[in-house]
Amino acid sequence: MANRNLEKMASIDAQLRLLVPAKVSEDDKLVEYDALLLDRFLDILQDLHGEDLKETVQEVYELSAEYEGKHDPKKLEELGNLITSLDAGDSIVVAKSFSHMLNLANLAEEVQIAHSRRNKLKKGDFADENNATTESDIEETLKKLVGDMKKSPQEVFNALKNQTVDLVLTAHPTQSVRRSLLQKHGRIRNNLTQLYAKDITPDDKQELDEALQREIQAAFRTDEIRRTPPTPQDEMRAGMSYFHETIWKGVPTFLRRVDTALKNIGINERVPYNAPLIQFSSWMGGDRDGNPRVTPEVTRDVCLLARMMAANLYYSQIENLMFELSMWRCNDELRVRADELNRSSKKNSVAKHYIEFWKVIPPNEPYRVLLGEVRNRLYHTRERSRHLLAHGYSDIPEEETFTNVEEFLEPLELCYRSLCACGDRAIADGSLLDFLRQVSTFGLSLVRLDIRQESDRHTDVLDAITKHLEIGSYQEWSEEKRQQWLLSELSGKRPLFGPDLPQTEEIRDVLDTFHVIAELPPDNFGAYIISMATAPSDVLAVELLQRECHVKHPLRVVPLFEKLADLEAAPAALARLFSVDWYRNRINGKQEVMIGYSDSGKDAGRFSAAWQLYKAQEELIKVAKEYGVKLTMFHGRGGTVGRGGGPTHLAILSQPPDTIHGSLRVTVQGEVIEQSFGEQHLCFRTLQRFTAATLEHGMHPPISPKPEWRALMDEMAVIATEEYRSIVFKEPRFVEYFRLATPELEYGITIEHYGIILFI
């Protein structure tokens, strides 16, 4: 038996070496991981479908490997004959087996990469040729800035604590893999990692091996594709699950690593808990551009859902903090507050919602008294959001909840100050500091929801208003007349319309969205993004509609430039916008502009789009400087290279000089959220990459291209665009080829359910 197993493992090793590229096949760990997963899967396949089908899969596998290695046409013909001889049922099992085996191979590679990286960290080796240009290690970046680039430690610290990276999570219909399957893959990765740990005992190894087989079988038995389309609320829940699993704990863990890295360059000070290093936003339930499933009701639901989730995460954690902060020494400020709360609770004989253990908190434990009040208000905050989400109303008064993050932070800050004043800073810098950092990062809304809508939808609303007022057709007005009228109304106080305004379903949808923004707490929302924005009136229109719908805290308005022509015209459009005095006073010296990678790449090809994006950013920064405005670039990047994907580190460092300056906003598309935040180490690496590269770009910006380089790039871009369009837009056989070479038709069926148009 042992010999047969050895022969089988040797056979698998040989097959894997044929399939894996030469540069990776030299890594024995990867081959070992691959072989183990494949061996376990083949055993499972035999148990489920019998010896014959297992042998068929192995034969297909071996023929594929042989053809890949030698490109012998006979092997390909033999492989084709074998596959076509299968009946329909066996064909499905074989196809699913290979899909599953590819997933397992990817998991093995991910574990191997993590293993390799851990070894490098242990050895302090960051400078290998494959790692240095694509990774951003925070400690190495700080050392490089201080050592090689001669920045003082204090300069680095000041720049770091004032910079902001805002990661915007989006939903994406091409992320068709079910979350339940992704979670099983995560457990396979974890089991495989633990199985090869050095200090593992034989019993542990046996138990982990059994757990690994269970997860492989569970993944194989799970349908890979969603058979019913998820609602936007489902997409939101799926996105928020990453906060539960990795991001929530990942942020304070990462910030502690930043503290350690700072200490190693001589800064004996922690990053302030309210420093905005990492922020999170979302488009899930707010991106209505071309998606009729995202309604005002959906936007309201996802905001309440996120608020409920945030309160629940805090509530589950406050108990641990209460257990930890059992000290009796405190400053006078906290003692007075605790005494007041004790007196008030005695008058209120029923201490609502205290769990049995906390029914009575001893008066000599002031921190617990104060945190008990925080815990109660968190409970009410969560329950009020839950009631509003389920029923549209709640009996819990708003004053018993936290309505803004400042009142949530205040008692926590008091605890922190008191501990420090009593000589207990080491305790203050433990779980309490982590909690403060979480509150500062996630607030009461977990993420801030962006709203995205196309400019023509706003034009339709204003056209209906002007026609109702019998002053003409807004759509037919010139840009100058539109601006004049919009500014006149923005400067006045009279309401533009009442309930008698004739409304189509589309107009009502736009106005109701603004009413939802007005109804909910302002910290639920981030930016209002306008697709296809080409003129100042597009931005002013949103400003006016916010005022008319009684939005007390207007969202910042962000024009989005995507297609090649829009990118070329963007600097002139921004200059016209900044020349409007009313708007310049409104923005208080700050403006955000979003640039799109997907549409520009589809319009002109990857090369030309990348070059035009670069030039557009340079010109936009020049315009902003001319008008004294700090510009934040919002990068709408995707996962694939055609959507701006690529190594994050290089992508940030290659941005034009002066375009980041410590402020970066970028989308994390749904298609890549799993590989960015699916596990703790992936989450850590993602936060590290963005933070370190943003810091390096700000403190050591790249040089601007020389004139001769620009001339050559311009010439190449023209040729590249012509060649790209000659194939994609002019070649009549392109669509046929595209559908044969890609799973577009399969995605098309899925996306049709979503009500979204797929670009071909």
Side-chain angles (χ1 to χ4, degrees), residues 239-391:
M240 293 305 97
S241 67
Y242 291 96
F243 287 84
H244 281 274
E245 292 165 23
T246 61
I247 299 173
W248 184 256
K249 292 181 179 178
V251 166
T253 300
F254 168 68
L255 292 175
R256 286 195 173 277
R257 180 60 57 84
V258 174
D259 290 339
T260 302
L262 286 167
K263 190 176 289 188
N264 290 336
I265 62 167
I267 297 293
N268 293 314
E269 188 177 347
R270 294 183 182 276
V271 174
Y273 67 82
N274 55 358
L277 258 70
I278 298 290
Q279 300 292 310
F280 290 92
S281 300
S282 172
W283 277 17
M284 300 174 196
D287 181 11
R288 59 223 330 111
D289 185 10
N291 189 349
R293 294 166 62 85
V294 179
T295 64
E297 293 75 22
V298 163
T299 297
R300 181 179 180 276
D301 283 356
V302 298
C303 287
L304 290 172
L305 182 63
R307 211 167 185 82
M308 184 180 74
M309 288 178 171
N312 193 51
L313 285 166
Y314 291 127
Y315 184 78
S316 63
Q317 204 161 305
I318 197 76
E319 292 286 344
N320 296 332
L321 200 56
M322 289 175 71
F323 271 105
E324 184 173 325
L325 299 187
S326 57
M327 292 67 66
W328 59 271
R329 291 180 183 275
C330 67
N331 64 8
D332 292 341
E333 185 184 10
L334 192 144
R335 178 71 64 188
V336 169
R337 179 77 67 83
D339 288 344
E340 288 174 355
L341 288 171
N342 273 325
R343 283 194 297 271
S344 131
S345 68
K346 283 177 185 176
K347 289 179 187 176
N348 225 348
S349 58
V350 180
K352 293 182 181 178
H353 313 305
Y354 274 53
I355 61 172
E356 201 66 30
F357 182 85
W358 295 114
K359 271 191 176 176
V360 178
I361 297 178
N364 65 335
E365 295 182 349
Y367 295 97
R368 287 179 170 176
V369 172
L370 192 58
L371 293 176
E373 174 65 14
V374 171
R375 197 263 324 275
N376 276 354
R377 294 187 70 181
L378 283 171
Y379 177 89
H380 287 132
T381 303
R382 182 188 69 186
E383 292 305 294
R384 179 176 167 81
S385 295
R386 186 172 65 83
H387 295 165
L388 291 171
L389 185 62
H391 311 297

Side-chain angles (χ1 to χ4, degrees), residues 20 25 229 245 249 253 262 265 305 383 391 397 420 445 463 481 540 583 596 613 637 658 686-687 689:
V20 179
S25 67
E245 292 165 23
K249 292 181 179 178
T253 300
L262 286 167
I265 62 167
L305 182 63
E383 292 305 294
H391 311 297
C420 293
S445 58
D463 190 64
K481 187 172 181 179
L540 297 175
Y583 185 73
L613 285 161
R637 301 175 73 227
D658 298 326
T686 298
L687 300 179
R689 283 172 182 157

Side-chain angles (χ1 to χ4, degrees), residues 191-211:
N191 286 333
L192 188 60
T193 301
Q194 293 176 58
L195 201 55
Y196 283 90
K198 287 185 178 179
D199 57 349
I200 189 172
T201 67
D203 288 346
D204 289 339
K205 187 169 186 178
Q206 181 177 341
E207 290 166 10
L208 282 168
D209 192 44
E210 290 173 359

Side-chain angles (χ1 to χ4, degrees), residues 41 44 48 96 100 104 178 180-185 187-188 210-224:
F41 171 67
I44 290 166
L48 296 176
K96 183 172 175 59
H100 191 54
L104 294 176
R178 298 170 62 199
S180 56
L181 189 59
L182 293 173
Q183 289 175 337
K184 290 177 177 62
H185 288 168
R187 290 194 288 271
I188 291 171
E210 290 173 359
L212 184 66
Q213 291 189 62
R214 281 197 301 272
E215 294 299 340
I216 292 173
Q217 184 165 338
F220 181 60
R221 290 292 222 185
T222 299
D223 195 348
E224 291 188 78

Side-chain angles (χ1 to χ4, degrees), residues 516-561:
V516 168
I517 296 171
E519 170 198 348
L520 295 172
D523 61 356
N524 274 304
F525 298 101
Y528 195 106
I529 298 157
I530 314 172
S531 301
M532 309 303 291
T534 58
S537 63
D538 293 327
V539 175
L540 297 175
V542 174
E543 295 284 4
L544 180 59
L545 289 172
Q546 290 196 85
R547 194 201 72 176
E548 287 302 311
C549 294
H550 311 292
V551 179
K552 293 180 181 178
H553 301 275
L555 311 190
R556 64 185 187 275
V557 184
V558 178
L560 165 58
F561 303 103

